[in-house]
PDB file of all heavy atoms in Angstrom:
ATOM      1  N   LYS A 214     108.954 144.543  62.577  1.00 81.00           N
ATOM      2  CA  LYS A 214     109.474 143.186  62.649  1.00 81.00           C
ATOM      3  C   LYS A 214     110.604 143.070  63.658  1.00 81.00           C
ATOM      4  O   LYS A 214     110.732 142.059  64.361  1.00 81.00           O
ATOM      5  CB  LYS A 214     109.982 142.770  61.257  1.00 81.00           C
ATOM      6  CG  LYS A 214     108.875 142.523  60.276  1.00 81.00           C
ATOM      7  CD  LYS A 214     108.080 141.294  60.670  1.00 81.00           C
ATOM      8  CE  LYS A 214     106.669 141.390  60.138  1.00 81.00           C
ATOM      9  NZ  LYS A 214     105.812 140.339  60.673  1.00 81.00           N
ATOM     10  N   ASP A 251     113.921 159.892  72.469  1.00 76.00           N
ATOM     11  CA  ASP A 251     112.941 159.070  73.190  1.00 76.00           C
ATOM     12  C   ASP A 251     112.533 157.831  72.413  1.00 76.00           C
ATOM     13  O   ASP A 251     112.435 156.736  72.961  1.00 76.00           O
ATOM     14  CB  ASP A 251     111.666 159.880  73.479  1.00 76.00           C
ATOM     15  CG  ASP A 251     111.964 161.227  74.058  1.00 76.00           C
ATOM     16  OD1 ASP A 251     112.851 161.899  73.492  1.00 76.00           O
ATOM     17  OD2 ASP A 251     111.336 161.614  75.042  1.00 76.00           O
ATOM     18  N   PHE A 257     117.442 150.880  72.142  1.00 80.00           N
ATOM     19  CA  PHE A 257     118.848 151.095  72.483  1.00 80.00           C
ATOM     20  C   PHE A 257     119.171 150.450  73.835  1.00 80.00           C
ATOM     21  O   PHE A 257     120.231 149.827  74.007  1.00 80.00           O
ATOM     22  CB  PHE A 257     119.118 152.597  72.504  1.00 80.00           C
ATOM     23  CG  PHE A 257     120.524 152.990  72.826  1.00 80.00           C
ATOM     24  CD1 PHE A 257     121.614 152.312  72.280  1.00 80.00           C
ATOM     25  CD2 PHE A 257     120.767 154.071  73.652  1.00 80.00           C
ATOM     26  CE1 PHE A 257     122.912 152.699  72.575  1.00 80.00           C
ATOM     27  CE2 PHE A 257     122.061 154.461  73.944  1.00 80.00           C
ATOM     28  CZ  PHE A 257     123.128 153.777  73.413  1.00 80.00           C
ATOM     29  N   TYR A 263     120.897 148.009  67.930  1.00 84.00           N
ATOM     30  CA  TYR A 263     119.663 148.524  67.324  1.00 84.00           C
ATOM     31  C   TYR A 263     119.742 150.024  67.056  1.00 84.00           C
ATOM     32  O   TYR A 263     118.978 150.553  66.258  1.00 84.00           O
ATOM     33  CB  TYR A 263     118.453 148.201  68.198  1.00 84.00           C
ATOM     34  CG  TYR A 263     118.058 146.754  68.101  1.00 84.00           C
ATOM     35  CD1 TYR A 263     117.818 145.992  69.230  1.00 84.00           C
ATOM     36  CD2 TYR A 263     117.929 146.148  66.855  1.00 84.00           C
ATOM     37  CE1 TYR A 263     117.468 144.656  69.133  1.00 84.00           C
ATOM     38  CE2 TYR A 263     117.585 144.817  66.750  1.00 84.00           C
ATOM     39  CZ  TYR A 263     117.355 144.070  67.889  1.00 84.00           C
ATOM     40  OH  TYR A 263     117.011 142.764  67.777  1.00 84.00           O
ATOM     41  N   ILE A 428     123.305 196.864  82.889  1.00 78.00           N
ATOM     42  CA  ILE A 428     122.001 196.217  82.710  1.00 78.00           C
ATOM     43  C   ILE A 428     122.031 194.819  83.301  1.00 78.00           C
ATOM     44  O   ILE A 428     121.089 194.361  83.949  1.00 78.00           O
ATOM     45  CB  ILE A 428     121.620 196.158  81.206  1.00 78.00           C
ATOM     46  CG1 ILE A 428     121.322 197.560  80.699  1.00 78.00           C
ATOM     47  CG2 ILE A 428     120.408 195.264  80.981  1.00 78.00           C
ATOM     48  CD1 ILE A 428     121.035 197.632  79.216  1.00 78.00           C
ATOM     49  N   ASP A 505     108.775 196.621  81.466  1.00 78.00           N
ATOM     50  CA  ASP A 505     109.205 195.648  80.464  1.00 78.00           C
ATOM     51  C   ASP A 505     109.640 196.336  79.179  1.00 78.00           C
ATOM     52  O   ASP A 505     110.676 196.012  78.599  1.00 78.00           O
ATOM     53  CB  ASP A 505     108.064 194.666  80.134  1.00 78.00           C
ATOM     54  CG  ASP A 505     107.861 193.646  81.253  1.00 78.00           C
ATOM     55  OD1 ASP A 505     108.692 193.620  82.176  1.00 78.00           O
ATOM     56  OD2 ASP A 505     106.882 192.896  81.191  1.00 78.00           O
ATOM     57  N   VAL A 512     117.900 197.383  76.098  1.00 82.00           N
ATOM     58  CA  VAL A 512     118.743 196.328  75.523  1.00 82.00           C
ATOM     59  C   VAL A 512     118.884 196.533  74.015  1.00 82.00           C
ATOM     60  O   VAL A 512     119.957 196.360  73.444  1.00 82.00           O
ATOM     61  CB  VAL A 512     118.166 194.938  75.866  1.00 82.00           C
ATOM     62  CG1 VAL A 512     118.976 193.852  75.180  1.00 82.00           C
ATOM     63  CG2 VAL A 512     118.180 194.717  77.363  1.00 82.00           C
ATOM     64  N   ARG A 592     103.231 165.892  82.967  1.00 65.00           N
ATOM     65  CA  ARG A 592     104.350 166.079  83.885  1.00 65.00           C
ATOM     66  C   ARG A 592     105.262 167.198  83.417  1.00 65.00           C
ATOM     67  O   ARG A 592     105.834 167.919  84.212  1.00 65.00           O
ATOM     68  CB  ARG A 592     105.159 164.777  83.967  1.00 65.00           C
ATOM     69  CG  ARG A 592     104.849 164.002  85.206  1.00 65.00           C
ATOM     70  CD  ARG A 592     105.921 162.964  85.421  1.00 65.00           C
ATOM     71  NE  ARG A 592     105.365 161.642  85.345  1.00 65.00           N
ATOM     72  CZ  ARG A 592     106.050 160.556  85.007  1.00 65.00           C
ATOM     73  NH1 ARG A 592     107.324 160.661  84.672  1.00 65.00           N
ATOM     74  NH2 ARG A 592     105.473 159.395  84.997  1.00 65.00           N
ATOM     75  N   TYR A 595     102.913 170.904  79.996  1.00 71.00           N
ATOM     76  CA  TYR A 595     102.625 171.441  78.675  1.00 71.00           C
ATOM     77  C   TYR A 595     101.150 171.805  78.515  1.00 71.00           C
ATOM     78  O   TYR A 595     100.694 172.014  77.395  1.00 71.00           O
ATOM     79  CB  TYR A 595     102.976 170.407  77.591  1.00 71.00           C
ATOM     80  CG  TYR A 595     104.443 170.102  77.454  1.00 71.00           C
ATOM     81  CD1 TYR A 595     104.886 168.846  77.073  1.00 71.00           C
ATOM     82  CD2 TYR A 595     105.388 171.094  77.681  1.00 71.00           C
ATOM     83  CE1 TYR A 595     106.232 168.575  76.933  1.00 71.00           C
ATOM     84  CE2 TYR A 595     106.730 170.827  77.553  1.00 71.00           C
ATOM     85  CZ  TYR A 595     107.154 169.566  77.180  1.00 71.00           C
ATOM     86  OH  TYR A 595     108.483 169.294  77.030  1.00 71.00           O
ATOM     87  N   LYS A 597      99.339 174.272  78.765  1.00 74.00           N
ATOM     88  CA  LYS A 597      98.909 175.487  78.066  1.00 74.00           C
ATOM     89  C   LYS A 597      99.084 175.349  76.550  1.00 74.00           C
ATOM     90  O   LYS A 597      98.676 176.218  75.793  1.00 74.00           O
ATOM     91  CB  LYS A 597      99.644 176.715  78.594  1.00 74.00           C
ATOM     92  CG  LYS A 597      98.792 177.968  78.446  1.00 74.00           C
ATOM     93  CD  LYS A 597      99.337 179.156  79.177  1.00 74.00           C
ATOM     94  CE  LYS A 597      98.449 180.367  78.941  1.00 74.00           C
ATOM     95  NZ  LYS A 597      98.893 181.532  79.704  1.00 74.00           N
ATOM     96  N   PHE A 657     123.511 185.374  48.320  1.00 75.00           N
ATOM     97  CA  PHE A 657     124.393 185.229  47.163  1.00 75.00           C
ATOM     98  C   PHE A 657     124.490 186.541  46.416  1.00 75.00           C
ATOM     99  O   PHE A 657     125.537 186.890  45.898  1.00 75.00           O
ATOM    100  CB  PHE A 657     123.867 184.147  46.215  1.00 75.00           C
ATOM    101  CG  PHE A 657     124.049 182.788  46.777  1.00 75.00           C
ATOM    102  CD1 PHE A 657     123.269 181.736  46.376  1.00 75.00           C
ATOM    103  CD2 PHE A 657     125.014 182.568  47.743  1.00 75.00           C
ATOM    104  CE1 PHE A 657     123.451 180.478  46.909  1.00 75.00           C
ATOM    105  CE2 PHE A 657     125.200 181.320  48.285  1.00 75.00           C
ATOM    106  CZ  PHE A 657     124.412 180.274  47.868  1.00 75.00           C
TER     107      PHE A 657
ATOM    108  N   MET B 414     122.163 189.304  73.757  1.00 89.00           N
ATOM    109  CA  MET B 414     121.188 190.381  73.935  1.00 89.00           C
ATOM    110  C   MET B 414     119.845 189.829  74.392  1.00 89.00           C
ATOM    111  O   MET B 414     119.213 190.364  75.311  1.00 89.00           O
ATOM    112  CB  MET B 414     120.984 191.108  72.608  1.00 89.00           C
ATOM    113  CG  MET B 414     122.173 191.836  72.124  1.00 89.00           C
ATOM    114  SD  MET B 414     122.086 193.537  72.605  1.00 89.00           S
ATOM    115  CE  MET B 414     120.567 193.957  71.799  1.00 89.00           C
ATOM    116  N   LYS B 421     116.006 190.203  82.466  1.00 81.00           N
ATOM    117  CA  LYS B 421     115.253 191.335  83.018  1.00 81.00           C
ATOM    118  C   LYS B 421     113.753 191.058  83.021  1.00 81.00           C
ATOM    119  O   LYS B 421     113.040 191.447  83.934  1.00 81.00           O
ATOM    120  CB  LYS B 421     115.548 192.588  82.174  1.00 81.00           C
ATOM    121  CG  LYS B 421     116.939 193.129  82.387  1.00 81.00           C
ATOM    122  CD  LYS B 421     117.066 193.682  83.783  1.00 81.00           C
ATOM    123  CE  LYS B 421     118.526 193.624  84.238  1.00 81.00           C
ATOM    124  NZ  LYS B 421     118.687 193.975  85.644  1.00 81.00           N
ATOM    125  N   ASP B 458     109.797 173.465  76.120  1.00 76.00           N
ATOM    126  CA  ASP B 458     109.998 173.463  77.574  1.00 76.00           C
ATOM    127  C   ASP B 458     110.478 174.809  78.099  1.00 76.00           C
ATOM    128  O   ASP B 458     110.001 175.305  79.115  1.00 76.00           O
ATOM    129  CB  ASP B 458     111.027 172.399  77.980  1.00 76.00           C
ATOM    130  CG  ASP B 458     110.744 171.075  77.317  1.00 76.00           C
ATOM    131  OD1 ASP B 458     110.492 171.089  76.104  1.00 76.00           O
ATOM    132  OD2 ASP B 458     110.784 170.053  78.001  1.00 76.00           O
ATOM    133  N   PHE B 464     105.223 181.408  79.307  1.00 80.00           N
ATOM    134  CA  PHE B 464     103.968 181.343  78.565  1.00 80.00           C
ATOM    135  C   PHE B 464     102.806 181.110  79.541  1.00 80.00           C
ATOM    136  O   PHE B 464     101.739 181.719  79.411  1.00 80.00           O
ATOM    137  CB  PHE B 464     104.081 180.221  77.531  1.00 80.00           C
ATOM    138  CG  PHE B 464     102.866 180.018  76.682  1.00 80.00           C
ATOM    139  CD1 PHE B 464     102.163 181.092  76.155  1.00 80.00           C
ATOM    140  CD2 PHE B 464     102.427 178.740  76.371  1.00 80.00           C
ATOM    141  CE1 PHE B 464     101.048 180.900  75.350  1.00 80.00           C
ATOM    142  CE2 PHE B 464     101.325 178.545  75.570  1.00 80.00           C
ATOM    143  CZ  PHE B 464     100.625 179.616  75.061  1.00 80.00           C
ATOM    144  N   TYR B 470     104.270 186.879  76.668  1.00 84.00           N
ATOM    145  CA  TYR B 470     105.695 186.579  76.710  1.00 84.00           C
ATOM    146  C   TYR B 470     106.105 185.593  75.623  1.00 84.00           C
ATOM    147  O   TYR B 470     107.280 185.499  75.285  1.00 84.00           O
ATOM    148  CB  TYR B 470     106.093 186.055  78.094  1.00 84.00           C
ATOM    149  CG  TYR B 470     106.139 187.142  79.125  1.00 84.00           C
ATOM    150  CD1 TYR B 470     105.524 187.010  80.356  1.00 84.00           C
ATOM    151  CD2 TYR B 470     106.824 188.321  78.850  1.00 84.00           C
ATOM    152  CE1 TYR B 470     105.568 188.030  81.286  1.00 84.00           C
ATOM    153  CE2 TYR B 470     106.872 189.348  79.774  1.00 84.00           C
ATOM    154  CZ  TYR B 470     106.237 189.193  81.001  1.00 84.00           C
ATOM    155  OH  TYR B 470     106.287 190.208  81.905  1.00 84.00           O
ATOM    156  N   TYR B 494     127.463 177.496  51.922  1.00 87.00           N
ATOM    157  CA  TYR B 494     127.180 177.062  50.555  1.00 87.00           C
ATOM    158  C   TYR B 494     127.920 177.931  49.541  1.00 87.00           C
ATOM    159  O   TYR B 494     128.524 177.434  48.588  1.00 87.00           O
ATOM    160  CB  TYR B 494     125.676 177.096  50.310  1.00 87.00           C
ATOM    161  CG  TYR B 494     125.237 176.639  48.947  1.00 87.00           C
ATOM    162  CD1 TYR B 494     125.775 175.508  48.357  1.00 87.00           C
ATOM    163  CD2 TYR B 494     124.276 177.344  48.249  1.00 87.00           C
ATOM    164  CE1 TYR B 494     125.367 175.096  47.110  1.00 87.00           C
ATOM    165  CE2 TYR B 494     123.851 176.931  47.009  1.00 87.00           C
ATOM    166  CZ  TYR B 494     124.405 175.813  46.437  1.00 87.00           C
ATOM    167  OH  TYR B 494     123.985 175.402  45.196  1.00 87.00           O
ATOM    168  N   ILE B 635     104.233 140.783  54.703  1.00 78.00           N
ATOM    169  CA  ILE B 635     105.236 141.094  55.728  1.00 78.00           C
ATOM    170  C   ILE B 635     104.582 141.847  56.880  1.00 78.00           C
ATOM    171  O   ILE B 635     104.868 141.608  58.051  1.00 78.00           O
ATOM    172  CB  ILE B 635     106.385 141.940  55.127  1.00 78.00           C
ATOM    173  CG1 ILE B 635     107.205 141.081  54.167  1.00 78.00           C
ATOM    174  CG2 ILE B 635     107.290 142.479  56.221  1.00 78.00           C
ATOM    175  CD1 ILE B 635     108.301 141.838  53.446  1.00 78.00           C
ATOM    176  N   ASP B 712     116.551 138.591  62.283  1.00 78.00           N
ATOM    177  CA  ASP B 712     116.579 140.044  62.052  1.00 78.00           C
ATOM    178  C   ASP B 712     117.113 140.350  60.668  1.00 78.00           C
ATOM    179  O   ASP B 712     116.555 141.175  59.930  1.00 78.00           O
ATOM    180  CB  ASP B 712     117.473 140.721  63.092  1.00 78.00           C
ATOM    181  CG  ASP B 712     116.798 140.819  64.447  1.00 78.00           C
ATOM    182  OD1 ASP B 712     115.600 140.487  64.523  1.00 78.00           O
ATOM    183  OD2 ASP B 712     117.457 141.208  65.410  1.00 78.00           O
ATOM    184  N   ARG B 799     113.607 160.273  84.593  1.00 65.00           N
ATOM    185  CA  ARG B 799     112.237 159.825  84.369  1.00 65.00           C
ATOM    186  C   ARG B 799     112.025 159.429  82.918  1.00 65.00           C
ATOM    187  O   ARG B 799     111.267 158.520  82.607  1.00 65.00           O
ATOM    188  CB  ARG B 799     111.271 160.955  84.734  1.00 65.00           C
ATOM    189  CG  ARG B 799     110.626 160.723  86.073  1.00 65.00           C
ATOM    190  CD  ARG B 799     109.441 161.643  86.194  1.00 65.00           C
ATOM    191  NE  ARG B 799     109.665 162.616  87.254  1.00 65.00           N
ATOM    192  CZ  ARG B 799     109.083 163.802  87.305  1.00 65.00           C
ATOM    193  NH1 ARG B 799     108.275 164.183  86.336  1.00 65.00           N
ATOM    194  NH2 ARG B 799     109.303 164.607  88.308  1.00 65.00           N
ATOM    195  N   TYR B 802     116.634 158.074  80.113  1.00 72.00           N
ATOM    196  CA  TYR B 802     117.728 158.392  79.206  1.00 72.00           C
ATOM    197  C   TYR B 802     119.071 157.890  79.726  1.00 72.00           C
ATOM    198  O   TYR B 802     120.118 158.288  79.218  1.00 72.00           O
ATOM    199  CB  TYR B 802     117.837 159.914  79.007  1.00 72.00           C
ATOM    200  CG  TYR B 802     116.680 160.532  78.272  1.00 72.00           C
ATOM    201  CD1 TYR B 802     116.268 161.820  78.561  1.00 72.00           C
ATOM    202  CD2 TYR B 802     116.029 159.839  77.256  1.00 72.00           C
ATOM    203  CE1 TYR B 802     115.212 162.395  77.891  1.00 72.00           C
ATOM    204  CE2 TYR B 802     114.976 160.410  76.586  1.00 72.00           C
ATOM    205  CZ  TYR B 802     114.569 161.690  76.902  1.00 72.00           C
ATOM    206  OH  TYR B 802     113.541 162.267  76.226  1.00 72.00           O
ATOM    207  N   LYS B 804     120.886 155.447  79.420  1.00 74.00           N
ATOM    208  CA  LYS B 804     121.893 154.837  78.549  1.00 74.00           C
ATOM    209  C   LYS B 804     122.570 155.885  77.668  1.00 74.00           C
ATOM    210  O   LYS B 804     123.524 155.584  76.951  1.00 74.00           O
ATOM    211  CB  LYS B 804     121.274 153.726  77.691  1.00 74.00           C
ATOM    212  CG  LYS B 804     122.315 152.658  77.347  1.00 74.00           C
ATOM    213  CD  LYS B 804     121.736 151.429  76.731  1.00 74.00           C
ATOM    214  CE  LYS B 804     122.828 150.420  76.421  1.00 74.00           C
ATOM    215  NZ  LYS B 804     122.271 149.181  75.891  1.00 74.00           N
ATOM    216  N   PHE B 864     121.444 170.203  41.829  1.00 76.00           N
ATOM    217  CA  PHE B 864     121.375 171.187  40.752  1.00 76.00           C
ATOM    218  C   PHE B 864     122.005 170.625  39.499  1.00 76.00           C
ATOM    219  O   PHE B 864     121.541 170.867  38.401  1.00 76.00           O
ATOM    220  CB  PHE B 864     122.095 172.474  41.158  1.00 76.00           C
ATOM    221  CG  PHE B 864     121.337 173.237  42.176  1.00 76.00           C
ATOM    222  CD1 PHE B 864     121.955 174.139  43.014  1.00 76.00           C
ATOM    223  CD2 PHE B 864     119.981 173.044  42.310  1.00 76.00           C
ATOM    224  CE1 PHE B 864     121.237 174.821  43.961  1.00 76.00           C
ATOM    225  CE2 PHE B 864     119.261 173.732  43.261  1.00 76.00           C
ATOM    226  CZ  PHE B 864     119.898 174.622  44.083  1.00 76.00           C
TER     227      PHE B 864
END
Side-chain angles (χ1 to χ4, degrees):
Chain A
K214 288 292 154 189
D251 312 47
F257 181 42
Y263 285 132
I428 291 176
D505 285 352
V512 176
R592 259 196 243 154
Y595 293 148
K597 209 169 178 176
F657 288 156
Chain B
M414 294 264 301
K421 288 292 154 188
D458 313 46
F464 180 42
Y470 286 131
Y494 181 44
I635 291 176
D712 284 353
R799 257 195 245 155
Y802 293 148
K804 209 169 180 177
F864 288 157

